[in-house]
Amino acid sequence: MNWSLHFLGVGAAHAVELGSSAVVLERDGKPLLLIDCGPDTLDRYIAAYGEPPHALYITHTHMDHIGGMERLFFRLWFDDAWRGRTKVFVHAGLMPWLQARVADYPNVLAEGGVNFWEAFRLVPCTRGFWLDGLWFDVFGTRHHMAGTSYGVALAGSFAYTGDTRPIPEVLARVAAGAEFIAHDCGLVGNPSHTGIDDIEREYPESWRSRLRLYHYGSEADGQALASRGYAVARPGERLTLPEPALPRPDAG
């Protein structure tokens, strides 16, 4: 099988020209898992694949990562073939925040009688989740405040950090082999995001060739990161991935 990571958007929250940061794991050119759903993500996804996502993983509940979920609700609810089919994987600890931010508005339909989550197949998780026979590891990241952001990894293939400060001790566990690491990175770090100086201080040189930097602030910032020798993800890019490892006996 051929595996790839399709970057729908790569921008920080204010970098709308780069698209909201979101990726799709593809198997033989077909979408398997969408990661995050920002304000423009659904349009980009449907333009690429012609239909809504079958599965969605949410890293955290900042609006540039979940702002498209209301539109996705309407797309699913009013199509009998899709209503209740799309799996939404989310860490159980995020559920109160996700519920408050996208699902708790009175009467999601003006007529009433509908609960937001009825349009989806909600799958809370903690350590990870199964999808199509594959085990995906879920891991905590350092973003904004503790317990509010979680990356996802597929052993042997890739790790996607979501928004984060450096997490070398975590990546040493979930991406210790040949996995590509899609990593939040801008030119300058801050208390919620990684900067290129953080990458060079926190991560060994042997890891840096496996990094694909995204969530940067502008096209110029991306070019500056690339000029320093780093692989920088671009909107629409497809990154060829290694074949995933077989699930561990203790997975799940």
Side-chain angles (χ1 to χ4, degrees):
M1 291 184 180
N2 297 313
W3 297 84
S4 57
L5 205 59
H6 180 193
F7 289 86
L8 297 180
V10 299
H14 62 279
V16 294
E17 71 280 5
L18 297 174
S20 302
S21 288
V23 297
V24 181
L25 175 64
E26 297 177 335
R27 179 174 55 194
D28 288 337
K30 296 181 179 179
L32 181 63
L33 178 67
L34 169 64
I35 302 175
D36 285 338
C37 189
D40 60 339
T41 300
L42 183 59
D43 286 343
R44 291 172 182 263
Y45 187 99
I46 291 178
Y49 305 109
E51 62 181 18
H54 289 266
L56 166 65
Y57 175 77
I58 299 297
T59 63
H60 66 292
T61 63
H62 280 156
M63 295 308 292
D64 57 317
H65 295 263
I66 61 168
M69 290 194 67
E70 184 177 64
R71 289 192 57 224
L72 181 56
F73 165 86
F74 286 109
R75 178 65 177 79
L76 300 175
W77 181 259
F78 289 107
D79 187 335
D80 290 342
W82 279 91
R83 184 185 298 175
R85 284 184 56 194
T86 296
K87 296 179 180 178
V88 177
F89 298 97
V90 58
H91 192 281
L94 297 182
M95 278 306 307
W97 309 110
L98 188 61
Q99 174 70 15
R101 305 206 85 179
V102 303
D104 201 29
Y105 191 85
N107 288 347
V108 62
L109 295 183
E111 301 85 352
V114 178
N115 301 301
F116 183 87
W117 294 114
E118 288 183 90
F120 304 89
R121 185 176 170 188
L122 183 62
V123 187
C125 57
T126 49
R127 295 179 297 107
F129 56 91
W130 290 97
L131 178 63
D132 283 12
L134 298 167
W135 174 257
F136 291 80
D137 286 300
V138 168
F139 55 91
T141 63
R142 296 173 57 204
H143 178 58
H144 195 60
M145 61 181 290
T148 62
S149 186
Y150 297 87
V152 63
L154 181 59
S157 190
F158 79 96
Y160 186 86
T161 66
D163 294 1
T164 192
R165 293 286 298 154
I167 46 170
E169 71 287 355
V170 176
L171 294 178
R173 174 173 57 85
V174 300
E179 295 90 349
F180 282 106
I181 303 169
H183 202 295
D184 172 7
C185 186
L187 277 181
V188 179
N190 61 43
S192 287
H193 296 278
T194 299
I196 194 62
D197 57 329
D198 299 312
I199 293 284
E200 294 174 347
R201 182 183 64 252
E202 299 284 347
Y203 294 146
E205 186 174 352
S206 60
W207 288 19
R208 297 176 196 169
S209 63
R210 295 193 286 133
L211 296 176
R212 289 299 182 274
L213 306 183
Y214 75 98
H215 205 274
Y216 46 93
S218 66
E219 179 63 32
D221 285 1
Q223 292 175 0
L225 292 169
S227 72
R228 295 176 66 151
Y230 291 90
V232 176
R234 305 294 186 181
E237 177 186 357
R238 284 178 167 87
L239 171 65
T240 300
L241 298 174
E243 183 87 13
L246 293 175
R248 305 184 311 274
D250 62 340

